[in-house]
Structure formats: C-alpha cells, structure tokens
Amino acid sequence: MFCHDDIVKLRRHLALVVRWQQLKKRGAAITAVLFFSIFALVGAIVNVAWINGPTFSSAARMALFGTPKGRLKCTNSSGSLKYTCPRNNYPTDHQVRQSSSSCPSYFQWIHEDLRPWREMGITQDMIRGARKTAHFKLVIVNGRAYMEKYKPSLPARDQFTLWGILQLLRWYPGRLPDLELMFDCDDRPVIRRKDFQGPRKPPPPPLFRYCRDDWTLDIVFPDWTFWGWHIFLSSWHVYMSCRPDVNIKPWKQSLKDIKEGNERTVWEERVPYAYWRGNPYVCPSRQDLLKCNVSDKYDWNARLYIQNWNEQAKAGFKQSNLANQCTHRYKIYVEGWAWSVSEKYIFACDSMTLRVRPNFYDFFARGMVPLKHFWPIRDNSKCTSLKFAVEWGNNYTDKAKGIAEAGSQYIHEDVKMEYVYDFMFHILNEYAKLLRFKPTVPAGAVELCPEVMLCNATGRHKEFMIESMVESPSESAPCTLPLPYEPAELQAFLDLKANSTRQVEMWENEYWQNQNRRN
Ligand SMILES: *[C@@H]1O[C@H](CO)[C@@H](O)[C@H](O)[C@H]1NC(C)=O
Ligand SMILES: *[C@@H]1O[C@H](CO)[C@@H](O)[C@H](O)[C@H]1NC(C)=O
Ligand SMILES: *[C@@H]1O[C@H](CO)[C@@H](O)[C@H](O)[C@H]1NC(C)=O
Ligand SMILES: *[C@@H]1O[C@H](CO)[C@@H](O)[C@H](O)[C@H]1NC(C)=O
Ligand SMILES: *[C@@H]1O[C@H](CO)[C@@H](O)[C@H](O)[C@H]1NC(C)=O
C-alpha cells in the first residue's frame, strides 16, 4: 500500500551493518572472540571471558546483534525457537562507583505512590487482587525475569515494557531484589481510591501502569516508548485513540535528534504562534482544542494540524519526525485518552510548552511547576487562554524563553535515560521492600531474556530493541533516592503549583476584561 515497508527494511539493514562495523572497530582480538562465538552459539551456552571488564559476553552480544551477514537465525530446521536464556549472561561481580548524586526531585513521588502499603506491606493476596485487569505478572528471582502472561495488550506495549525491565537488569546486574508484580498496559488507571481508603475497606491491590490521577492508586512506571514505538497504519487503534506519533525511536536517540533540531533554530527565530499536531479523534478535549485554530474570522494565535497518517507514511514520516517539529516558539500539550506519550517530546523542544490542564500524570510530570517549566492553559476555555499566553510570551520574550529552556532542560537532564533506569530501579526496590513473602517462580511462567525477546520480535520492533539495548553495565550505582516529603512540605509544593496557575488565570481575566471594555 505504501513504501514504508521498504524504508524499514533498508534502515534495518543499515543498522545492522553499522553495528557490525562498530564491533569490528574494537580490534582484532575481539573479532576473533566474536568469530569463535558464532560457532559456540550453535552448540550451547558458552562461557566466554569478559572483555574489557564489565561488558556482556561476546556470545551474548553476538546473539543479539546478528551475524555480519545480517539476520539472527532464531529458529532451528523444524521452526522452533532455538534460543533459551543463557545461564550466565550477566556479570555478577562488577564493581561500581558509589553514586554521589541525588535523584531528581520527582523521585519523591515513588514514596507517595507506595504510601498505601507503607504500614501493612504487600501480601500475595493483594497482588492476586490486581490480576483482574493486568496484562502480565512479572517475577524477578535471583536477577532473572519471568513472566506470566494473562492477555494481549495493545501492540508493543507489554513487549517493550518487559524489554525495558530486562535492560534495567543488564544496567544494574545483581542489584535488583526478588519481587513479584502485576502490570496493566492500558491507558487509564483503575484502582479507585474511594473503594479502598477508609474504615473497613480492603487494602488496595498494587497494580503498575503508566499513569494515574488524583482519584486512583495505581503505581506509576515509565511507559514503553522509552525503548521505541512503532504502530502499523492499518491498526484500528491508530484511528480510534489519541496516538501522537507512529514511529518513535528509543528515547536516547529521540533526545539526541531533538537536541540537534533545537540547535538548528534559535527561539527568537521560531514561528511566534502556538503549535500542535496530533490525532484529535475520540478525545473530546482535543476536538475542543481544534476550535482554536486560526480562521478567516479570528486568530487565537494557534496553528493546529491533524496528523494524516497515510500522507505521512508516503512522505517517509518526515513531517511527524520529532526533530522537525521544534519550529514554533510555543507548543501545546493536551492529554489523549489518558496521559499522552507526546508530552516528553513536546517539552524537549526548547519551545515554551502551553500545557492544557491535565487529569493524568506519568512518572515525571508531577515534578514540573507552572511558570517555571511550562505555561498553564485552562481546560474549559482553551482559546482565550492560548491567545493570552502567546501574546504574553511575545511581549516578554526573555521570560518565555526562560520557561522554554527550563522545561526543556527538565526533560533533557532529569528525564534522560539514565534517570529513567534509576527511577525504575528505585520504584522496584522500594516496592520489593514492602513484600511480605518470598517471591518464587510460578509454574506457568516463561523466562525472559534479550535473546528470546529479540527472536520473537520482527521488523521495526526488533530494530528498536537492538538500538535500545544496554551493552554494558552502569559504572556507577543508582542516584540516591530522596527522603519522602514531610506532609507540610508536600502541601507547600502543591500550593506553589496551584498558586502559579491561579496567578496566570488572574492575568488572563484582567486581560480579557480590558479587551471587552475596549470593544
Ligand atoms: C527444534 O527445537 C525444538 C524445541 O527446542 C526441538 O524439540 C526440536 O527437536 C528441534 N528440532 C531440530 C530439528 O533440531
Ligand atoms: C488550521 O489552520 C491552518 C491554516 O489555515 C490550516 O492549514 C490547517 O489545516 C488548519 N487545521 C485544521 C485542523 O483544520
Ligand atoms: C502586549 O503588549 C501590547 C502593547 O504594549 C499590549 O497592548 C498588550 O496588552 C500586551 N499583552 C499582554 C498579554 O501582555
Ligand atoms: C512470542 O510471540 C508469540 C506470538 O506473538 C507469543 O505468543 C509469545 O508469548 C511470545 N513469547 C515471548 C517470550 O514473548
Ligand atoms: C499560595 O497562596 C496563598 C494565598 O494566596 C498563600 O497564603 C500561600 O502562602 C501561597 N503558597 C505558596 C507556596 O506560594
């Protein structure tokens, strides 16, 4: 139907060639070991000495990156999966520097999300209670990951979430405690606070997902897009939900691309309007936003575009390329069906983010402060809010640019991939401390490791997995988790955010009163 498949094939091929060249550069000795390992792999699991200290065995590396000719051959002659998880894939004794750095402040929300279980702990029964909506159960025992799958999730979500956890195990080998958890890959949180908090109510089931709101108790975990995301254009859900982009590289690469894009256009030279491009269907709030588009009759200072997937595919995704979207001084963030994965890409742009008041938050959003990192936009009067915000920014360019830079820096620094892994590490570690039982491998579970997951993946997904793979363990320990907020401290922080939003709303009111008086 379109030429996209060919592009994918070409890129995949190039990626493997590049990988192979990178490996080749590491010297003849390594090449020899790699050569050996191709043969060794055919037999069984081999015990190859570590090269250059704490990296992964070259046999494992070879299995993951494919042969020089291109493809990793995953099946034997009768078509069954050839690989099983190697017994000794991870360095166990690698030394790390103690980390002196303290984690970004949003890590404090780890304590808040786990607070419901702080006193009573987590029992196996409570976890069982979360089974109803979960897509899978994850068990980690002795540094190895096992999964019990309950139902299919939306494409790529469960696979990439699990992939991310495997990379975490490679990044901090031997550091994760044994644990067992339920994960729900759908958009909206489901553990309603009112069902579980109060006298004679049961304890809430602990359930991991990608976002929550003020009325729910789901535990927030980084979403799958940090390891890349691609959805096929024919999918029903591209049209039926608020997907911002269909072809997103792993976060590390996306950040780099966006940074390069940012350097191409300085803030002052960007288009002085508010920009949004996305899928407005089936989200009332986004459809409402479209009413603010510039028209013959009135200019609300907004330039809004509908993502046209088919055209984009034909043009090789040029327009939806994230790095090419940083062309305006202001960018609008508006939620989809729940939180939107687009948030981090929008904020990364060095444009001032105009954030339509959200209901849902992902793991990093709660640390962001209005007027410091973004400009708050009313949800119930988007157009007047946008008009004022853009005019204000163009009047006070230094201030707007300052907010743009602070927001962007938050994403580039505090949400860089190393901190995403640190966040995962700390939330899993804190969660495991609450468990009141010793996790064991369930009878029906499958063991997961990169070899098996890569063999099971195809096309773009496989390419993203290769790209986002952790190649050697971290040289330093995770950042230091901040202590929980004191209640008064937490309240002050929430007040600060509410006050800043109120401040902007007061300015807006004043502005529109003056406008109306004039007309
Ligand atoms: C292929 O693998 C399956 C599962 O491991 C095994 O049962 C089968 O005997 C293998 N077939 C050949 C031809 O090696
Ligand atoms: C918004 O207005 C611009 C400029 O007139 C136009 O190109 C664009 O298609 C409009 N967007 C929508 C969603 O109608
Ligand atoms: C921007 O400056 C113009 C001209 O000084 C003024 O009329 C307008 O009210 C200002 N708007 C805002 C939002 O500050
Ligand atoms: C591999 O893919 C098949 C089919 O998509 C799926 O049923 C199976 O659970 C996958 N296995 C793993 C380990 O992900
Ligand atoms: C927020 O505003 C209230 C009332 O205007 C004030 O009493 C309070 O000190 C402010 N809090 C912060 C953190 O700015």
Side-chain angles (χ1 to χ4, degrees):
M1 192 169 88
F2 35 74
C3 59
H4 179 60
D5 279 353
D6 300 327
I7 298 169
V8 169
K9 270 187 212 136
L10 181 69
R11 286 203 191 136
R12 191 190 315 154
H13 178 70
L14 287 177
L16 284 170
V17 171
V18 169
R19 287 285 180 191
W20 174 242
Q21 282 167 348
Q22 284 169 350
L23 285 178
K24 236 171 38 183
K25 272 198 209 127
R26 297 187 190 169
I30 298 178
T31 313
V33 181
L34 290 175
F35 193 70
F36 162 67
S37 61
I38 299 168
F39 293 100
L41 258 180
V42 179
I45 307 112
V46 228
N47 205 345
V48 184
W50 304 118
I51 310 160
N52 298 335
T55 51
F56 296 101
S57 80
S58 57
R61 202 196 289 234
M62 209 56 228
L64 295 164
F65 292 148
T67 63
K69 287 223 183 77
R71 280 326 124 68
L72 164 64
K73 198 160 172 3
C74 288
T75 52
N76 68 14
S77 55
S78 58
S80 301
L81 201 61
K82 200 164 62 176
Y83 291 108
T84 51
C85 295
R87 285 291 99 193
N88 49 1
N89 212 1
Y90 304 105
T92 46
D93 59 347
H94 91 281
Q95 298 295 312
V96 294
R97 281 196 310 275
Q98 270 314 308
S99 178
S100 52
S101 75
S102 157
C103 303
S105 67
Y106 68 82
F107 277 58
Q108 268 166 334
W109 292 96
I110 288 174
H111 302 297
E112 300 310 315
D113 283 356
L114 296 174
R115 192 176 290 279
W117 300 277
R118 197 149 94 173
E119 303 301 324
M120 61 189 148
I122 294 170
T123 64
Q124 219 152 6
D125 269 347
M126 292 182 199
I127 294 181
R128 230 171 272 133
R131 161 87 164 77
K132 207 163 58 187
T133 64
H135 290 89
F136 62 84
K137 177 159 85 179
L138 172 79
V139 178
I140 295 177
V141 173
N142 288 332
R144 308 179 75 86
Y146 304 84
M147 176 200 51
E148 201 175 7
K149 188 166 171 158
Y150 297 130
K151 60 180 180 185
S153 78
L154 283 171
R157 290 187 178 195
D158 55 353
Q159 291 290 306
F160 274 88
T161 300
L162 289 161
W163 178 256
I165 290 167
L166 291 182
Q167 300 320 304
L168 175 67
L169 289 168
R170 288 166 73 82
W171 185 238
Y172 291 129
R175 293 189 79 103
L176 263 125
D178 291 359
L179 59 86
E180 175 180 325
L181 63 84
M182 292 285 186
F183 207 107
D184 179 339
C185 302
D186 282 342
D187 283 341
R188 287 196 169 175
V190 295
I191 310 297
R192 291 184 305 178
R193 190 187 283 275
K194 69 176 162 71
D195 296 342
F196 301 102
Q197 280 188 342
R200 288 195 302 280
K201 299 257 172 83
L207 178 63
F208 283 72
R209 69 172 339 102
Y210 308 118
C211 76
R212 60 173 280 190
D213 59 23
D214 288 337
W215 297 273
T216 48
L217 298 170
D218 301 56
I219 303 170
V220 187
F221 198 76
D223 69 64
W224 69 98
T225 60
F226 287 94
W227 296 273
W229 190 32
H230 175 74
I231 35 181
F232 302 106
L233 298 173
S234 54
S235 307
W236 165 84
H237 68 272
V238 176
Y239 298 99
M240 294 308 287
S241 57
C242 305
R243 305 285 162 248
D245 267 293
V246 287
N247 192 39
I248 302 178
K249 289 185 202 164
W251 181 230
K252 212 170 188 159
Q253 187 60 41
S254 294
L255 262 186
K256 228 169 114 228
D257 291 353
I258 295 173
K259 203 173 200 132
E260 281 167 23
N262 283 343
E263 279 157 14
R264 280 202 296 273
T265 38
V266 295
W267 192 85
E268 287 82 357
E269 285 162 17
R270 294 187 183 188
V271 186
Y273 293 106
Y275 173 89
W276 183 79
R277 175 186 292 278
N279 183 349
Y281 305 114
V282 187
C283 315
S285 180
R286 288 186 172 190
Q287 301 219 347
D288 187 44
L289 175 69
L290 287 188
K291 294 183 194 141
C292 311
N293 200 14
V294 59
S295 70
D296 305 340
K297 292 185 208 70
Y298 199 77
D299 190 352
W300 294 107
N301 292 340
R303 304 291 181 265
L304 313 172
Y305 303 91
I306 292 174
Q307 185 76 278
N308 186 326
W309 306 105
N310 269 312
E311 263 173 33
Q312 287 297 314
K314 282 195 203 114
F317 289 105
K318 265 211 199 74
Q319 285 235 290
S320 66
N321 183 331
L322 298 162
N324 296 341
Q325 288 196 14
C326 302
T327 49
H328 290 63
R329 285 186 185 177
Y330 313 97
K331 290 196 68 169
I332 301 166
Y333 170 72
V334 56
E335 282 182 343
W337 176 243
W339 101 109
S340 164
V341 300
S342 64
E343 186 171 33
K344 56 185 176 296
Y345 310 103
I346 290 173
F347 266 102
C349 251
D350 275 3
S351 305
M352 182 165 93
T353 300
L354 310 180
R355 188 200 211 195
V356 179
R357 180 191 279 272
N359 287 312
F360 301 95
Y361 29 82
D362 53 37
F363 73 102
F364 63 81
R366 283 172 286 183
M368 302 186 103
V369 177
L371 283 186
K372 182 174 174 199
H373 301 112
F374 64 92
W375 186 275
I377 296 292
R378 281 185 159 109
D379 188 37
N380 55 6
S381 183
K382 298 183 182 70
C383 302
T384 54
S385 231
L386 287 170
K387 169 95 177 167
F388 172 76
V390 170
E391 203 177 303
W392 184 92
N394 289 336
N395 277 2
Y396 305 98
T397 48
D398 280 355
K399 286 193 176 135
K401 198 178 158 188
I403 297 172
E405 278 167 5
S408 187
Q409 197 181 348
Y410 184 99
I411 295 296
H412 284 271
E413 295 299 321
D414 290 1
V415 194
K416 64 182 175 192
M417 203 59 209
E418 286 81 356
Y419 280 139
V420 175
Y421 282 127
D422 281 3
F423 186 91
M424 292 161 65
F425 173 82
H426 280 303
I427 193 151
L428 293 180
N429 199 36
E430 294 302 306
Y431 171 86
K433 285 182 196 165
L434 299 170
L435 297 181
R436 293 284 184 264
F437 61 95
K438 187 166 167 33
T440 51
V441 182
V446 289
E447 180 170 2
L448 293 175
C449 57
E451 287 81 351
V452 167
M453 286 201 76
L454 262 180
C455 277
N456 218 21
T458 54
R460 203 68 203 249
H461 286 168
K462 189 170 196 160
E463 190 187 325
F464 284 160
M465 283 181 176
I466 291 173
E467 198 174 314
S468 63
M469 201 171 84
V470 164
E471 287 191 46
S472 56
S474 167
E475 282 167 10
S476 54
C479 59
T480 314
L481 184 65
L483 292 173
Y485 281 119
E486 294 293 329
E489 209 185 346
L490 178 60
Q491 196 52 52
F493 183 60
L494 296 176
D495 286 349
L496 171 74
K497 295 207 280 188
N499 280 11
S500 307
T501 304
R502 214 165 26 239
Q503 174 69 70
V504 170
E505 289 177 355
M506 270 154 56
W507 289 339
E508 263 177 33
N509 292 346
E510 218 172 289
Y511 171 86
W512 285 107
Q513 274 158 18
N514 285 339
Q515 295 287 313
N516 294 339
R517 211 171 296 141
R518 244 176 261 163
N519 295 338

